Amino acid sequence: MPSGTCVDSILRRFAGQFSAVEFRYRTELIDLEEGRTSVAAMLSRSRDGTGRQGRRRLSGWTDGAASVVREKLGIPMRGEPVLTYTTNVIFRCRDLPSLHGKGKAYRFIFIGREGTWLTIVAIDGADRWRMSIIGDKSKREIPESEIRALDRSRHGQAVRL
């Protein structure tokens, strides 16, 4: 979870009160081994790929349906492991509402025959926006050229991405 999100600020405010709590961002849990009184964890830093192993008495993790923790502890998965893959694009546009006729809003939702396929959400109330391209259960990387073409086709003119 990126530092600075709403959930992050709440978690930091609460869990940060405890001296034993350590926050690590952009860190992947590769493996873990549960002992009687501690957990051995193999971690990898996402940016440089370096591995590190350490033991902790208690471990908390936010890692979703494909959870290494859930799998290693034998906790069964209920429901669909993936609902959709979404690609998020952060962009700046000083006056986005002038590019369409819907007026000012916090969130714009694009709905087609296939259902909701794109949302645009205000980040700072000024010029920063998050465009979420809602996919399906197929994981794919959307090339920048396709994102730019999508942006131009929906707004009628180019927005600086």
Side-chain angles (χ1 to χ4, degrees):
M1 164 176 28
S3 176
T5 64
C6 183
V7 172
D8 178 65
S9 63
I10 294 167
L11 182 61
R12 276 193 163 281
R13 198 170 40 229
F14 174 74
Q17 299 175 66
F18 304 96
S19 61
V21 172
E22 179 182 335
F23 290 90
R24 294 198 185 176
Y25 295 93
R26 294 172 182 85
T27 302
E28 180 181 1
L29 176 67
I30 304 297
D31 197 8
L32 68 83
E33 183 180 316
E34 187 179 19
R36 280 182 0 119
T37 61
S38 64
V39 174
M42 174 57 84
L43 308 175
S44 174
R45 294 285 300 178
S46 300
R47 288 182 187 227
D48 58 17
T50 58
R52 182 170 150 188
Q53 189 166 2
R55 291 196 85 78
R56 298 287 184 255
R57 288 185 54 82
L58 182 63
S59 181
W61 212 260
T62 56
D63 58 352
S67 169
V68 171
V69 174
R70 181 189 55 73
E71 182 183 315
K72 292 290 184 176
L73 296 178
I75 301 169
M77 169 64 195
R78 293 193 183 119
E80 294 289 327
V82 175
L83 299 177
T84 63
Y85 283 98
T86 300
T87 300
N88 291 310
V89 179
I90 306 298
F91 67 95
R92 289 187 185 276
C93 182
R94 174 61 56 197
D95 195 17
L96 182 70
S98 72
L99 300 177
H100 57 75
K102 304 298 180 199
K104 291 184 177 184
Y106 160 74
R107 178 184 307 250
F108 298 94
I109 301 172
F110 295 74
I111 302 171
R113 289 189 175 125
E114 67 278 14
T116 302
W117 63 273
L118 184 122
T119 64
I120 297 178
V121 177
I123 293 176
D124 65 357
D127 68 343
R128 291 185 62 207
W129 303 85
R130 183 190 74 224
M131 178 171 68
S132 298
I133 305 165
I134 302 166
D136 55 24
K137 292 181 182 183
S138 307
K139 188 174 184 176
R140 75 179 191 103
E141 188 170 321
I142 300 175
E144 184 178 336
S145 60
E146 191 175 324
I147 292 169
R148 287 184 183 281
L150 172 72
D151 178 62
R152 279 189 290 276
S153 71
R154 292 299 160 202
H155 298 295
Q157 55 185 293
V159 172
R160 193 178 101 215
L161 296 178

